[in-house]
Amino acid sequence: MSLFFIVLLPFLGALLPGLMNSAGRAACAGVTFTVSLAAFVGLLTNLPTVLAGEVVTARIDWMPLLGLNFTLMLDSLGFFFALLILGIGLLIIAYARNYLSRNDNMGEFFTYLLLFQGAMVGIVLSDNILLLLIFWELTSLSSFLLIGYWKHLPAGRQGARMALAVTGMGGLAMVGGMLILGQIVGSYDLSTILQNRELIQADPLYVPALLLILLGCFAKSAQFPFHFWLPHAMAAPTPVSAYLHSATMVKAGIFLMARMWPVLAGTPEWFVIVTSAGLITMVLGAVIALFKHDLKALLAFSTVSHLGLITMLLGTGTAFGSMAAVFHILNHATFKAALFMSAGIIDHEAHTRDIRRLGGLRTLMPVTFVIATLAALSMAGIPLLNGFLSKEMMLEEAYGTALFGVPWLVPALATFGALFSAAYSFRLIGHVFFGPVRDDYPAKPHDPPAGLWLPPALLMIPVVVIGIAPFIAEPFVKLVTSAVLGDAASLPSAHFKIWHGLVPALYMSLVAVAGGLLLLAVFNPALRLWDATPRPEAKQIFDSLIKACVSLAQGIILPLHNGAFSRYAAIGAVAILAAGFHAYMSGTVGATTRTVQPASPVTIAGWLMLVAATGGMVFMHRNRLLSLILIGIVGLMVSIGFVFFSAPDLAMTQFTVEVVTIILMLLALNFLPNTTPVESTVLRRVRDAGVAIAGGLATFGLAYHYLLRDAITTPISEFHLANSYKGGGGTNVVNVILVDFRGFDTFGEITVLGIAALLIYALTETLLGGPVRARLLNRKPDQPRAGIKHPMMMVVLTRVIMPMVLLVGFYIFLRGHNEPGGGFIAGLIVSIAVVMQYMASGFSWASARLRYPYHGVIGAGVLIAGLTGIGSWFFGKPFLTSDFTYVRIPPFEKFELATAALFDLGVFLAVVGAVMLSLESFSRLARRAHVPDSEHPMDIDPSREGPPPEKAGFAKEGV
Amino acid sequence: MELLVASAIGVLTAGGIYLMLRLRTFPVILGISLLTYAVNVFLFTSGRLTVGAPPILRDGVSTYTDPLPQALVLTAIVISFGMTAVVVMIGLGAFLGTDDDHVDDQTDTSTLDEEAEGTS
């Protein structure tokens, strides 16, 4: 199966559990299992190729200019991890099906799980480090969702947040490190990077890149000093813990260290940082784990400890160390997943995971006892189980490693860590399963149904088989190790054996096991000593750190962002002015090239009106109705200016828009106070006036400057003028630009317009659905209403001119391609015609005659425009390529048929729909209770018999 | 004539900025509308001023004004209607919901008031 499918299957499959939720829990788990199984089988189909030592690749260029390509690669290392991720994933899904209670939303859980699975598989199969980073962040996000799955638990939410904060910060560092690495090599392809060891290690940026990448890996894999997040993530449901902390999430950091091993390892920096971090984590985790009473916390810290062990092995930089690391990854995944699941079983059956409240479960839960004991003994490093083998290799590697020039440091600490590891494993067995049977368990423990114990039991097969016959695992582990080593080192010749003879590692192992037993014997005094020792609490440190960051951010942001819009606007205006001033001072301005055109008295009169109206608005803006009238004058003058300066299309648009804007503002003013009170101080007004005058002078200066100069190069408009008729078939160049040359722009614009109208509609719906509705309905108008609401004269007049206005609109639309006009203007004109009906005959009357909802009109418009564009695909042309032809149908004259007209029809419909939907939404707010809407257009109608019905509350609401 | 148009743009901008800095929604919306006019005219004039040469192709005529700024400004006018409508709706919704048409957050003063009441 193609690698793309293996990566994509979990992501696509993530859609299914949610859909299957209503079909029942079995269906939900079943579909998840099937998806995972398909990916697993798909992976296995690549096994022969991988076993042959070849690398499977798949590639799609995504953003080649950025170096970001969707390239996947499957070598034995990737295969190994993918096998763990998908294989253990299958067991986890089966386990979770039985573990989750009826109250848990199973679809949600499995959706998150599949997302996480896909992201993990993506990490291990990526051949592009940028792609890897994307999957890396996806694991952080999806693990956040999984850890916080039990949203009702504060511990779950806090643990999820902490995990996200730590791994997210690590991810950020990783991004930096990877970008540096890519810059050094000049490629973001992993396979290329892995072949440039000398180049990378000789680069001065090697150390920063190494530090950043290690920071990311350590944060993800819970290495000291980031080890604290992992135990808090244990608040998650046990299947999540078992999955994230045995085989997947925390192994991602390890994977990356192994992946980058050929190019990053082998330097003193790598050795010192990685080995010491691993060593500290291993010892610290093991010691803390021993004294944890919560089973899952014990396992969490033991995971931390084992991850430290693997990190340390990778840090040594030798081929043997890498082989031991790979082997231990395999072994740890098997026994730790089983242990987590066993802990979940105990929690599930006994309703507690507190070791102090357990004991004697050996006879009550024999199956669980066998599984957990085997796994724990493997973890302790007891012969004939797989944990023993890799631990021996670890001790052997530690024996030959000298850190900081001290030969005994690493062996001693490794033995010490192994000792505690053995001790907590023994404690787990001894304190949970042995001892007397108690009678105070929170629930009567017994073995669970097979659905719960079978998955961990299956994991015991590799634990025992590898433990007894290590040579079975040897070829595969060596194959994976060779992928880790790359060209950097040759494969070690050592064989996997249970008995190596009387080597130092054996003595160290004996010391560890004996010491572990001894420590368990003196556990109680040791616990008292441990409890008496003061220790820094990681969670408190983290919390106070986060708190400090939050208050720092607040200290910076709140004074700036205090909710005062007028202040932002002022700061924005001044900043723009300053930037413009800087540009002016640092640039050069050529000499004037255009002659000033003389101004006629009419022009001066128009200018005077515009300036007077603007001045009036500024000085009398407190009278809102007056300022509305004044802005109408401004708009009118602007329209006339457009006519004067050869822009008839603009003038028509501006004029019609002006009409609908004023209607809209009037509708709004209906609800708002009629005057603006005096609130600002004189000083403030002077300040605002200063900013305003500076802004006005700046725009004046800018406009005046370029009005007197020609453009530096020939404007592209020459092309439009030359090709408008030839290529677009229209003589109105503005319209041809709109529907043809720049049709894509227009398409976007009508879409935006439609969205704006829908937004207004949605806001109205929200308002009318909330407490505002009652207030609106009971609102008392602040001014006396007119005696007659729908004057007969107006009703009759609007009805009579309606067909004429529609005709004008139709005419304007049709001639648009060749004469001033077009879809935009026609749409506005028709809107005005419809609005007039609303105004004259009333909302109910007009709505009742509405054949198509305005949303539909908007949609139809955008759709028609879009389909017109798509139509050109069928002729092998790019989107929105237009075509036209001339036809002649007697007795008419020759006329033109253009696809652009169809597009313009879309524009027309979208504009009508958007304008009408906005205005209709506003007017819906205006309806009141106690004032019945008449379905009759006129209060007095000679053709109607009898008085109008006095039905109160007829108002049709929520239409 | 250039002076007239440029100064008109300047006056519209100044008026727009001043009203935009007011404290209540309605004048702010009017101010933004004025600024819209200013910006549209400004963009339009980037095609320079030409009298009596509309970009409608005619036989025998070779001088036309620049059509491109016109096309761009045409859609800008329609879009700015949509945006004005949205802003008006938001302002209206805020006023109907809180009975307050200030554009600035009033929380600070209200907490101050509460504190003042508490101490008195």
Side-chain angles (χ1 to χ4, degrees):
Chain A
M1 189 190 280
S2 162
L3 298 184
F4 291 120
F5 285 111
I6 301 175
V7 175
L8 282 180
L9 260 175
F11 284 112
L12 295 177
L15 298 169
L16 297 176
L19 294 175
M20 298 301 286
N21 219 1
S22 51
R25 297 154 57 80
C28 198
V31 72
T32 315
F33 193 85
T34 314
V35 168
S36 267
L37 190 66
F40 186 71
V41 171
L43 182 73
L44 287 183
T45 57
N46 288 302
L47 181 63
T49 327
V50 172
L51 283 183
E54 288 169 30
V55 178
V56 187
T57 55
R59 179 186 183 95
I60 294 178
D61 281 349
W62 187 4
M63 287 184 244
L65 284 178
L66 288 179
L68 173 54
N69 295 317
F70 208 102
T71 31
L72 299 174
M73 139 179 119
L74 184 74
D75 62 352
S76 50
L77 178 66
F79 183 85
F80 171 51
F81 272 91
L83 193 73
L84 284 181
I85 294 161
L86 292 169
I88 295 189
L90 282 173
L91 298 179
I92 295 290
I93 292 166
Y95 179 82
R97 154 75 184 91
N98 295 293
Y99 183 86
L100 291 180
S101 78
R102 299 215 162 267
N103 300 329
D104 296 322
N105 183 343
M106 202 170 246
E108 190 187 342
F109 181 83
F110 281 128
T111 300
Y112 296 162
L113 196 79
L114 281 177
L115 282 179
F116 177 76
Q117 193 176 57
M120 277 306 300
V121 174
I123 288 184
V124 300
L125 294 191
S126 290
D127 185 27
N128 184 293
I129 52 174
L130 298 179
L131 186 67
L132 189 146
L133 286 173
I134 293 171
F135 286 123
W136 186 272
E137 297 297 331
L138 274 177
T139 58
S140 293
L141 284 177
S142 49
S143 66
F144 169 77
L145 293 171
L146 278 173
I147 296 170
Y149 171 70
W150 277 333
K151 300 180 194 69
H152 55 279
L153 296 181
R157 298 197 302 266
Q158 286 162 12
R161 253 198 328 263
M162 190 191 267
L164 184 67
V166 175
T167 56
M169 292 299 284
L172 220 53
M174 174 81 79
V175 172
M178 288 296 195
L179 289 180
I180 296 177
L181 207 59
Q183 290 295 322
I184 295 175
V185 180
S187 164
Y188 290 105
D189 281 345
L190 199 54
S191 33
T192 316
I193 291 174
L194 290 183
Q195 278 156 8
N196 283 290
R197 177 188 168 92
E198 285 77 22
L199 181 71
I200 292 168
Q201 297 197 349
D203 200 278
L205 285 174
Y206 164 71
V207 176
L210 176 72
L211 285 177
L212 288 170
I213 291 176
L214 284 182
L215 215 56
C217 290
F218 286 1
K220 199 82 162 184
S221 284
Q223 294 300 296
F224 180 82
F226 305 109
H227 59 282
F228 56 89
W229 71 262
L230 198 148
H232 286 285
M234 288 298 144
T238 301
V240 175
S241 311
Y243 197 34
L244 263 61
H245 305 316
S246 64
T248 54
M249 167 94 160
V250 292
K251 292 278 167 68
I254 302 278
F255 166 78
L256 205 66
M257 280 191 268
R259 188 36 107 203
M260 291 291 173
W261 197 89
V263 287
L264 295 181
T267 60
E269 293 91 350
W270 167 277
F271 172 63
V272 169
I273 300 170
V274 180
T275 309
S276 41
L279 208 56
I280 295 172
T281 315
M282 175 182 166
V283 173
L284 201 68
V287 174
I288 299 175
L290 178 61
F291 299 107
K292 285 289 168 189
H293 301 305
D294 179 355
L295 258 181
K296 273 175 78 179
L298 187 153
L299 291 175
F301 276 104
S302 94
T303 303
V304 169
S305 170
H306 280 269
L307 291 170
L309 189 160
I310 298 168
T311 306
M312 184 202 81
L313 286 172
L314 287 170
T316 57
T318 65
F320 185 77
S322 312
M323 187 166 76
V326 170
F327 196 24
H328 197 66
I329 290 170
L330 172 67
N331 296 339
H332 177 251
T334 50
F335 67 69
K336 191 50 67 68
L339 278 172
F340 269 118
M341 289 195 243
S342 307
I345 292 174
I346 294 168
D347 190 16
H348 203 255
E349 301 303 328
H351 289 198
T352 182
R353 338 187 274 255
D354 192 331
I355 298 176
R356 288 167 301 185
R357 301 185 65 185
L358 294 166
L361 295 184
R362 177 170 43 99
T363 48
L364 295 171
M365 307 172 76
V367 179
T368 317
F369 163 67
V370 172
I371 295 168
T373 306
L374 275 176
L377 288 178
S378 177
M379 180 159 77
I382 301 299
L384 298 184
L385 295 167
N386 63 358
F388 169 75
L389 299 160
S390 45
K391 180 171 283 188
E392 285 277 294
M393 286 166 81
M394 180 276 284
L395 291 171
E396 192 182 333
E397 175 70 16
Y399 183 72
T401 306
L403 189 63
F404 303 119
V406 188
W408 53 266
L409 186 67
V410 179
L413 282 176
T415 315
F416 187 72
L419 189 152
F420 271 86
S421 179
Y424 63 65
S425 306
F426 295 146
R427 180 175 178 224
L428 195 155
I429 302 168
H431 288 190
V432 174
F433 293 102
F434 286 87
V437 175
R438 300 164 64 145
D439 49 13
D440 62 342
Y441 303 115
K444 182 96 182 97
H446 53 81
D447 268 322
L452 278 179
W453 64 254
L454 203 58
L458 285 175
L459 285 169
M460 283 307 102
I461 296 172
V463 168
V464 176
V465 169
I466 297 175
I468 294 172
F471 54 85
I472 292 178
E474 186 177 322
F476 185 66
V477 169
K478 285 199 166 166
L479 187 68
V480 176
T481 311
S482 69
V484 173
L485 300 176
D487 308 328
S490 55
L491 204 60
S493 56
H495 291 290
F496 292 8
K497 279 185 292 193
I498 300 175
W499 178 252
H500 287 268
L502 296 171
V503 290
L506 185 69
Y507 295 119
M508 288 155 81
S509 198
L510 279 176
V511 169
V513 173
L517 283 171
L518 197 68
L519 198 55
L520 190 66
V522 294
F523 180 73
N524 284 336
L527 181 65
R528 278 195 292 278
L529 185 69
W530 173 258
D531 285 341
T533 347
R535 298 180 299 276
E537 182 60 48
K539 185 170 190 299
Q540 280 167 11
I541 298 172
F542 176 80
D543 283 347
S544 51
L545 207 66
I546 291 286
K547 214 171 173 181
C549 288
V550 168
S551 53
L552 180 72
Q554 281 177 340
I556 295 170
I557 292 166
L558 283 186
L560 285 174
H561 196 109
N562 62 352
F565 169 80
S566 50
R567 197 168 131 187
Y568 309 159
I571 294 173
V574 170
I576 293 168
L577 278 175
F581 186 71
H582 171 74
Y584 177 74
M585 294 308 283
S586 55
T588 51
V589 181
T592 54
T593 53
R594 289 175 76 97
T595 47
V596 177
Q597 303 171 49
S600 62
V602 181
T603 331
I604 297 174
W607 180 84
L608 277 176
M609 280 176 77
L610 184 125
V611 171
T614 313
M617 275 181 74
V618 169
F619 289 105
M620 291 178 277
H621 73 88
R622 295 185 193 287
N623 183 341
R624 292 181 172 184
L625 188 62
L626 182 63
S627 52
L628 199 54
I629 294 169
L630 288 173
I631 203 170
I633 296 176
V634 174
L636 209 57
M637 286 303 117
V638 170
S639 315
I640 292 172
F642 285 143
V643 176
F644 187 73
F645 293 112
S646 327
D649 285 280
L650 280 192
M652 289 162 86
T653 315
Q654 181 74 62
F655 187 78
T656 40
V657 162
E658 208 55 47
V659 174
V660 286
T661 309
I662 297 289
I663 294 173
L664 182 106
M665 295 276 215
L666 276 172
L667 277 169
L669 199 54
N670 193 16
F671 304 96
L672 292 167
N674 287 327
T675 54
T676 308
V678 183
E679 282 176 315
S680 47
T681 57
V682 177
L683 192 69
R684 189 191 159 114
R685 270 175 270 163
V686 169
R687 185 201 77 180
D688 291 349
V691 175
I693 289 170
L697 283 175
T699 43
F700 161 71
L702 186 59
Y704 192 59
H705 250 89
Y706 74 54
L707 277 177
L708 292 182
R709 287 161 181 80
D710 280 312
I712 298 171
T713 52
T714 320
I716 53 170
S717 315
E718 299 297 325
F719 168 83
H720 295 137
L721 285 168
N723 288 291
S724 174
Y725 187 71
K726 243 182 351 194
T731 52
N732 180 2
V733 188
V734 174
N735 184 268
V736 174
I737 291 176
L738 282 175
V739 297
D740 194 335
F741 292 131
R742 303 197 62 84
F744 213 169
D745 278 4
T746 311
F747 184 58
E749 272 149 352
I750 57 172
T751 314
V752 170
L753 193 66
I755 292 171
L758 290 177
L759 179 60
I760 292 169
Y761 176 76
L763 282 170
T764 316
E765 281 293 294
T766 316
L767 277 180
L768 288 177
V772 172
R773 182 165 171 271
R775 258 179 51 199
L776 277 174
L777 287 174
N778 296 312
R779 180 172 53 96
K780 292 271 183 297
D782 50 0
Q783 278 167 1
R785 302 279 109 172
I788 181 163
K789 284 198 293 181
H790 307 297
M792 197 202 299
M793 290 269 285
M794 192 164 160
V795 173
V796 172
L797 192 65
T798 50
R799 298 269 182 91
V800 170
I801 64 173
M802 175 83 173
M804 289 189 248
V805 179
L806 289 181
L807 190 70
V808 170
F810 186 63
Y811 171 67
I812 292 278
F813 174 78
L814 276 188
R815 70 176 214 152
H817 216 44
N818 294 314
E819 297 289 326
F824 274 111
I825 302 164
L828 287 161
I829 290 175
V830 170
S831 304
I832 293 171
V834 181
V835 168
M836 284 195 311
Q837 304 306 315
Y838 275 94
M839 283 163 65
S841 306
F843 188 86
S844 298
W845 184 86
S847 318
R849 276 148 191 82
L850 183 65
R851 200 72 71 77
Y852 309 101
Y854 296 123
H855 321 68
V857 178
I858 300 177
V862 175
L863 217 58
I864 288 176
L867 287 176
T868 310
I870 288 173
S872 49
W873 285 347
F874 295 107
F875 300 94
K877 299 276 179 59
F879 187 64
L880 273 175
T881 310
S882 73
D883 201 5
F884 62 93
T885 182
Y886 293 94
V887 288
R888 188 191 167 92
I889 307 172
F892 301 108
E893 279 188 49
K894 189 179 81 164
F895 63 94
E896 181 198 0
L897 278 181
T899 58
L902 212 55
F903 181 79
D904 220 10
L905 178 69
V907 173
F908 166 80
L909 288 175
V911 169
V912 172
V915 171
M916 287 317 299
L917 188 63
S918 314
L919 291 177
E920 193 212 22
S921 299
F922 271 88
S923 20
R924 278 175 53 206
L925 290 175
R927 309 172 72 201
R928 285 177 297 143
H930 317 303
V931 184
D933 270 6
S934 167
E935 61 180 319
H936 299 293
M938 286 174 277
D939 297 335
I940 306 157
D941 185 349
S943 67
R944 203 164 65 226
E945 287 180 14
E950 290 287 329
K951 261 198 296 178
F954 166 81
K956 203 170 56 175
E957 281 144 21
V959 183
Chain B
M1 211 148 60
E2 276 77 4
L3 187 69
L4 289 183
V5 174
S7 61
I9 295 172
V11 168
L12 285 173
T13 312
I17 293 179
Y18 181 78
L19 288 180
M20 192 180 72
L21 297 178
R22 296 305 88 209
L23 298 173
R24 301 293 183 131
T25 48
F26 198 76
V28 170
I29 291 166
L30 289 184
I32 293 173
S33 300
L34 275 187
L35 265 184
T36 309
Y37 289 131
V39 171
N40 284 344
V41 176
F42 180 83
L43 290 179
F44 168 70
T45 52
S46 69
R48 307 304 186 273
L49 300 178
T50 317
V51 180
I56 313 290
L57 301 178
R58 295 267 183 273
D59 290 336
V61 181
S62 63
T63 317
Y64 299 104
T65 186
D66 193 339
L68 190 60
Q70 294 194 14
L72 298 183
V73 169
L74 196 151
T75 49
I77 293 171
V78 181
I79 291 273
S80 59
F81 162 75
M83 291 306 119
T84 309
V86 170
V87 173
V88 170
M89 189 68 226
I90 291 172
L92 190 58
F95 175 72
L96 292 175
T98 59
D99 217 3
D100 176 20
D101 66 342
H102 280 96
V103 288
D104 296 350
D105 275 0
Q106 298 295 304
T107 45
D108 289 340
T109 54
S110 64
T111 48
L112 281 178
D113 291 346
E114 280 164 22
E115 278 165 18
E117 279 164 24
T119 49
S120 61

